[in-house]
């Protein structure tokens, strides 16, 4: 019995390993020869034409609905960077914007062409401003924004890392260049209340900017970049900064400034008192203030609707082309005469 037990225990593992090896070799062979089980649909002309037609029939109505939603958005765009410079300084805009002794206040009048239902979103738009520049994007420290002076390694913030030997909170070029134009809106002599809360992403406020981190040594150097920050308010509550720190991928971008939470009627005139402080003249940039309503699809953007209509129309055109080709040169299924090697041998 011992000998039989020993014999069975000796051959069992070898047989098991041999069977595993055989399975592995079989699977490898099927993989290399592309014989593994797979879904292999046969793309017959009927299936292809039907698929293109369905895509076109679905996409075109969706495109028109999206386009209609976009067109329902009322949007007012007013460029003010040139008109808000006094006539005598228009030949030298850079000296005007850098001279702190000159008043930068300006008043613009905007006509409301259509009824604007609240909430009305206020944006500032900058053109030719490359927030996606590599050195600019890297000049920040996310851990310092969250932990403040507890995190000392701010080498990534150069050249706005230290000032007078002390760290800067928040450090980096992005925070240093914070947009600092201000807007006040009036209608019929009454100031419109602008809600500036909850303009930043909730995830940014709660998880990226510290609730116990306060600005320190910020904009105290000889070269002032943009807006000052309230040293008595934590970064998580300074939503202008949070909005600005989410950099844009394109050179023309809009950032949310606030919301007007009352309706504006058609033919109303809005007086915008603004402070033209931000220097876009050094790099040929443009500044605009935007008032916009929203729809279920968001703001005004015709691209999505146009894209759906164009793709749907192209699919229907391709379907009809395939139908005509199939009717002109029908091909029986499974006819081996159409194989490439058979055609060569025939010739």
């Amino acid at each position: 019995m011992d000998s039989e037990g020993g014999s069975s225990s000796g051959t069992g593992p070898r047989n098991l390993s041999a069977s595993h090896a055989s399975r592995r070799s079989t699977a490898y062979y099927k993989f290399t020869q592309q014989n593994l089980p797979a879904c292999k649909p046969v793309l017959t002309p009927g299936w292809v034409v039907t698929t293109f037609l369905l895509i076109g029939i679905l996409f075109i109505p969706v495109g028109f609905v999206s386009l209609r939603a976009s067109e329902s958005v009322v949007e007012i765009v007013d460029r003010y960077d040139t008109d808000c410079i006094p006539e005598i300084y228009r030949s030298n805009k850079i000296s005007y914007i850098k001279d702190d002794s000159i008043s930068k206040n300006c008043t613009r009048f905007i006509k409301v062409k259509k009824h604007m239902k609240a909430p009305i979103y206020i944006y500032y738009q900058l053109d030719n401003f490359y927030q996606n520049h590599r050195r600019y994007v890297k000049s920040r420290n996310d851990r310092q924004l969250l932990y403040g002076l507890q995190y000392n390694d701010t080498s990534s913030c150069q050249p706005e890392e230290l000032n007078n030997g002390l760290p800067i909170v928040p450090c980096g070029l992005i925070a240093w260049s914070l947009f600092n134009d201000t807007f006040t809106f009036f209608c019929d002599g009454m100031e419109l209340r602008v809600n500036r809360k909850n303009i930043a992403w909730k995830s940014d406020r709660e998880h990226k900017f510290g609730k116990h981190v306060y600005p320190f040594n910020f904009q105290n150097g000889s070269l002032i970049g943009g807006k000052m920050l309230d040293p008595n308010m934590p970064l998580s509550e300074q939503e202008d900064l949070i909005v600005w720190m989410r950099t844009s991928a394109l050179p023309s971008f809009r950032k949310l400034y606030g919301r007007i939470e009352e309706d504006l009627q058609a033919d109303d005139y809005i007086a915008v008192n603004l402070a033209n402080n931000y220097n876009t003249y050094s790099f040929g940039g443009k500044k605009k203030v935007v008032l916009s309503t929203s729809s279920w699809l968001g703001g005004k953007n015709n691209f999505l609707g146009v894209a759906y209509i164009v793709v749907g129309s192209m699919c229907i055109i391709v379907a009809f082309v395939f139908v005509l080709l199939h009717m002109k040169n029908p091909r029986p299924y499974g006819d081996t005469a159409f194989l490439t090697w058979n055609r060569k041998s025939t010739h």
Side-chain angles (χ1 to χ4, degrees):
M1 293 192 55
D2 291 339
S3 61
E4 289 177 359
S7 173
S8 62
S9 63
T11 57
R14 284 198 296 270
N15 292 336
L16 190 60
S17 61
S19 65
H20 282 317
S22 175
R23 279 193 221 130
R24 281 198 300 270
S25 63
T26 303
Y28 179 75
Y29 174 80
K30 288 183 177 181
F31 174 76
T32 55
Q33 298 302 314
Q34 299 184 7
N35 288 330
L36 290 174
C39 179
K40 300 177 181 178
V42 179
L43 298 179
T44 62
W47 272 107
V48 173
V49 170
T50 303
T51 302
F52 276 109
L53 281 176
L54 286 176
I55 293 174
I57 292 170
L58 289 174
F59 273 38
I60 290 177
V62 171
F64 278 111
V65 171
S66 302
L67 204 57
R68 183 177 178 83
S70 177
E71 290 296 330
S72 68
V73 173
V74 182
E75 184 178 275
I76 302 173
V77 181
D78 181 61
R79 180 182 174 184
Y80 63 89
D81 58 291
T82 301
D83 293 339
C84 282
I85 295 182
E87 193 72 35
I88 58 175
Y89 292 103
R90 290 188 181 178
S91 59
N92 194 352
K93 301 174 183 177
I94 297 177
S95 63
Y96 160 78
I97 202 69
K98 290 183 176 180
D99 192 342
D100 294 333
S101 63
I102 304 174
S103 173
K104 305 297 191 302
N105 295 329
C106 176
T107 301
R108 305 284 295 167
F109 293 95
I110 301 173
K111 183 180 180 180
V112 180
K113 296 181 179 180
K114 294 182 180 180
H115 173 75
M116 301 183 74
K117 187 177 180 181
I120 301 167
Y121 296 92
I122 306 168
Y123 302 90
Y124 56 88
Q125 178 175 328
L126 297 178
D127 297 333
N128 200 36
F129 191 114
Y130 288 83
Q131 273 198 317
N132 60 350
H133 192 285
R134 182 172 178 271
R135 288 189 63 190
Y136 184 85
V137 172
K138 288 182 63 178
S139 185
R140 62 183 293 166
N141 192 291
D142 291 330
R143 300 198 67 180
Q144 189 213 50
L145 295 173
L146 188 59
Y147 300 111
L149 293 173
Q150 299 177 17
Y151 188 77
N152 297 322
D153 184 11
T154 57
S155 57
S156 61
C157 290
Q158 294 179 354
E160 289 295 318
E161 176 188 7
L162 302 172
N163 181 35
N164 296 325
L166 298 175
I168 299 173
V169 180
C171 66
L173 286 174
I174 304 177
W176 174 81
S177 61
L178 177 60
F179 187 78
N180 62 345
D181 285 5
T182 58
F183 308 97
T184 308
F185 299 86
F186 295 87
C187 182
D188 295 332
M190 300 292 293
E191 182 177 352
L192 297 174
R193 180 178 174 273
V194 178
N195 184 359
R196 307 204 61 200
K197 291 292 184 181
N198 299 325
I199 61 174
W201 291 15
K202 183 178 179 180
S203 58
D204 288 353
R205 298 196 308 267
E206 295 184 354
H207 304 294
K208 292 188 176 182
F209 291 80
K211 297 180 180 179
H212 303 287
V213 179
Y214 295 84
F216 175 77
N217 200 24
F218 184 73
Q219 300 285 21
N220 288 337
S222 57
L223 185 61
I224 304 300
K227 182 180 179 181
M228 305 292 290
L229 296 176
D230 186 349
N232 300 315
M233 183 182 294
L235 296 185
S236 61
E237 296 180 15
Q238 308 217 29
E239 297 194 44
D240 280 341
L241 174 69
I242 299 174
V243 171
W244 182 257
M245 294 289 286
R246 182 167 285 277
T247 55
S248 174
L250 299 175
S252 295
F253 57 87
R254 294 177 180 179
K255 292 187 181 291
L256 186 60
Y257 181 85
R259 294 184 301 275
I260 298 174
E261 297 182 335
E262 57 182 282
D263 293 358
L264 296 177
Q265 306 302 323
D267 298 327
D268 281 349
Y269 276 90
I270 308 299
V272 185
N273 292 348
L274 59 90
N276 183 25
N277 298 316
Y278 201 69
N279 183 9
T280 57
Y281 308 102
S282 298
F283 54 87
K286 301 175 184 178
K287 295 189 291 186
K288 301 172 185 177
V289 59
V290 181
L291 301 178
S292 176
T293 60
S294 63
S295 68
W296 61 269
L297 199 60
K300 190 177 185 66
N301 190 344
N302 294 336
F303 174 79
L304 185 63
V306 172
Y308 268 106
I309 293 172
V310 170
V311 172
S313 302
M314 291 179 63
C315 287
I316 290 179
I317 292 172
V318 169
F320 279 111
V321 170
F322 281 179
V323 168
L324 294 176
L325 290 175
H326 184 62
M327 291 176 63
K328 183 179 179 181
N329 298 311
R331 173 177 173 178
Y333 301 146
D335 190 348
T336 57
F338 288 90
L339 296 175
T340 305
W341 51 84
N342 286 341
R343 283 185 288 174
K344 287 183 179 179
S345 61
T346 304
H347 294 305

